[in-house]
Amino acid sequence: MADLRGPTADTQAGDIVTIAVNPDGPYGVVFSPDNDGQAAVVRGFEKLPNGKFGVVQRNGGVHVGDVLFEVNDTSLMNRTFEESVKIISDRNILKKEFKFINSRDYYRRK
């Protein structure tokens, strides 16, 4: 499984997709917990307040059902959804990289 950046990375191809995001958000992604109440699953996308798509959706390699399993080097794999949201929303982190994986690979790792 490759950890790729840019338009060639796609979770549907089994890649880990890494995206640098604005640390303050908004991200244009709707997250919800996995089946066990953990991590952060992409449930949909929404436009930003300026009417544009967020960086995650514009990337094109992340899809509904994928899992945000890491922020920088912090794993969200065994954290509650609430803990995951705190990490995602933490404005004290000056640079953020979100790492996404498809749900099939996520549940294999779990």
Side-chain angles (χ1 to χ4, degrees):
M1 183 176 325
D3 183 357
L4 301 172
R5 299 168 195 271
T8 60
D10 194 314
T11 58
Q12 289 182 343
D15 298 328
I16 294 171
V17 177
T18 302
I19 301 172
V21 298
N22 180 333
D24 295 331
Y27 306 114
V29 180
V30 178
F31 291 111
S32 66
D34 71 7
N35 297 336
D36 299 320
Q38 297 179 325
V41 178
V42 176
R43 290 294 176 214
F45 298 99
E46 57 190 13
K47 290 187 179 180
L48 302 178
N50 63 8
K52 296 183 179 182
F53 294 114
V55 66
V56 176
Q57 187 174 12
R58 284 194 322 262
N59 174 277
V62 176
H63 310 278
V64 171
D66 289 344
V67 180
L68 174 62
F69 75 99
E70 198 170 283
V71 175
N72 295 348
D73 292 325
T74 303
S75 175
L76 305 181
M77 294 284 281
N78 294 308
R79 295 182 188 266
T80 66
F81 178 66
E82 290 76 18
E83 290 173 318
S84 297
V85 168
K86 282 183 184 177
I87 293 166
I88 293 165
S89 306
D90 188 346
R91 291 185 170 200
N92 293 318
I93 301 173
L94 300 179
K95 285 185 172 185
K96 282 186 191 169
E97 283 190 337
F98 285 177
K99 289 189 178 184
F100 294 90
I101 193 169
N102 69 48
S103 60
R104 179 183 62 250
D105 292 332
Y106 168 73
Y107 285 108
R108 258 192 235 135
R109 288 176 171 214
K110 208 171 164 186

